[in-house]
Amino acid sequence: MKFRDLILIPALASTPVLAGDADRLMHELTWEKRVLLIFAPHERRADYRQQVAHIGAVGAGLRERDMTVIEAFADGRVFIDGQALDTEAAGFYRRIGVDLDEFRAVLVGKDGTVKLDRNDPVTSADLFALIDSMPMRRLEMRQDD
């Protein structure tokens, strides 16, 4: 089972950002969502499958942290929270500086800056610990209490 079969974040599924280029989409997500970008040459790649396994079972944790997941593949396909995106992956690859033959997991904060950039899968525990240590997230947690 693929990540996109496991979770869909309703807040984004109902918004008009599902079409357009990478820069416009990332601009629209700034200050609204934390974005986990997953780059892989193809879905059969072991590190991609491992990354999907790490985050596939933590949908509530993703929603709690205002996260969205964008998967970009070397063949040009893009998925946002499991839904096909009407844009080319090349814009995401250029924006982050990823080679088509590599795996990358990149976390972009709500402020639009890269917070994590790894060539190996990141566990949900490590991802959440990093996010929960950020000042903006700490403020969000205090406001939720």
Side-chain angles (χ1 to χ4, degrees), residues 10 28-29 37 49 63 68 76 89-90 97 105 108 111-112 121 124 126 144:
E28 289 179 12
L29 292 171
L37 289 153
R49 293 172 58 163
R63 285 186 297 276
T68 193
V108 177
D111 64 358
S124 57
D126 289 344
D144 288 342

Side-chain angles (χ1 to χ4, degrees), residues 86-110:
D86 186 22
T87 192
E88 286 293 316
F92 292 99
Y93 277 87
R94 272 192 309 276
R95 182 180 179 94
I96 303 296
V98 177
D99 292 330
L100 292 175
D101 63 346
E102 70 178 315
F103 170 86
R104 293 267 286 279
V106 178
L107 175 65
V108 177
K110 283 187 173 182

Side-chain angles (χ1 to χ4, degrees), residues 31-97:
W31 302 115
E32 298 295 323
K33 295 287 184 179
R34 293 174 181 93
V35 179
L36 178 62
L37 289 153
I38 303 171
F39 295 91
H42 50 77
E43 294 162 309
R44 296 175 312 281
R45 189 163 164 144
D47 40 17
Y48 166 78
R49 293 172 58 163
Q50 194 174 23
Q51 182 64 70
V52 168
H54 286 312
I55 61 171
V58 293
L62 295 173
R63 285 186 297 276
E64 179 183 327
R65 290 165 181 84
D66 296 329
M67 292 186 66
T68 193
V69 177
I70 297 175
E71 300 166 272
F73 295 98
D75 65 4
R77 293 175 300 132
V78 178
F79 295 87
I80 183 168
D81 296 327
Q83 291 189 341
L85 186 64
D86 186 22
T87 192
E88 286 293 316
F92 292 99
Y93 277 87
R94 272 192 309 276
R95 182 180 179 94
I96 303 296

